[in-house]
Amino acid sequence: MAAYESNHLCDDTPQMNRWLQQLAPRERLLVLTAGVLVVIALIIVIGIRPVVNGKVLAERRIDQKLEMLQDLERVGGRFGPVSGTAATLATGATQSLVVLVDRTTRSHGLGAYLKRNQPDGASKIRLRFENVPFDGMVAWLAQLQSEFALITVSASIDTAQETGRVNCNLVLAR
């Protein structure tokens, strides 16, 4: 059947040629021009337009990603080490972790809640807080990160009996 359709299409070509030859020269030019314009329109619609649309979509995605990056940088600026000065970082780097933790917990009013601090090598310290105010502990940890470049390696936090208070084990490192 496919062979018949193929031959049938070939049979129509001579008829189209005869029909085209019967047209006046001006009409023939008009029909051929219309055919060329249809072919150009198909090329644009099928070939070029999807490429252009893809480019526009890619540019939109890039703009969205840039906006997201700017938002993350703005939010990250609140938590990163931007607030610590180089002198503060250098002072914290020369102090032992035990002294640094003792001094900063006292300045935040958390010294009474620190039940154990145990150095773990030269660059780590293990801490145990009991019944410590959660908000005060988080503020203290944020200061350690921003001003002294200490990071929390691990944290185990359990709620205490009083609201807003926790018991926690921390491991901090430089």
Side-chain angles (χ1 to χ4, degrees), residues 97 101 105 114-118 125-129 140-141 144 168-172:
L97 288 177
V101 165
T105 54
L114 180 62
K115 300 302 177 190
R116 187 184 80 214
N117 68 14
Q118 176 183 358
I125 189 167
R126 296 180 184 279
L127 306 170
R128 170 74 182 165
F129 287 92
W140 172 71
L141 288 171
L144 289 178
C168 67
N169 292 310
L170 300 170
V171 177
L172 304 178

Side-chain angles (χ1 to χ4, degrees), residues 2-52:
Y4 171 74
E5 288 176 7
S6 176
N7 289 338
H8 182 66
L9 289 175
C10 290
D11 290 342
D12 287 343
T13 305
Q15 287 177 347
M16 287 180 66
N17 282 339
R18 269 187 264 131
W19 173 75
L20 196 59
Q21 293 302 323
Q22 290 175 356
L23 295 174
R26 214 174 187 174
E27 292 172 336
R28 198 176 315 136
L29 180 63
L30 184 63
V31 169
L32 290 174
T33 303
V36 169
L37 289 176
V38 167
V39 169
I40 291 173
L42 285 173
I43 289 172
I44 289 173
V45 169
I46 294 172
I48 297 174
R49 191 169 180 196
V51 172
V52 171

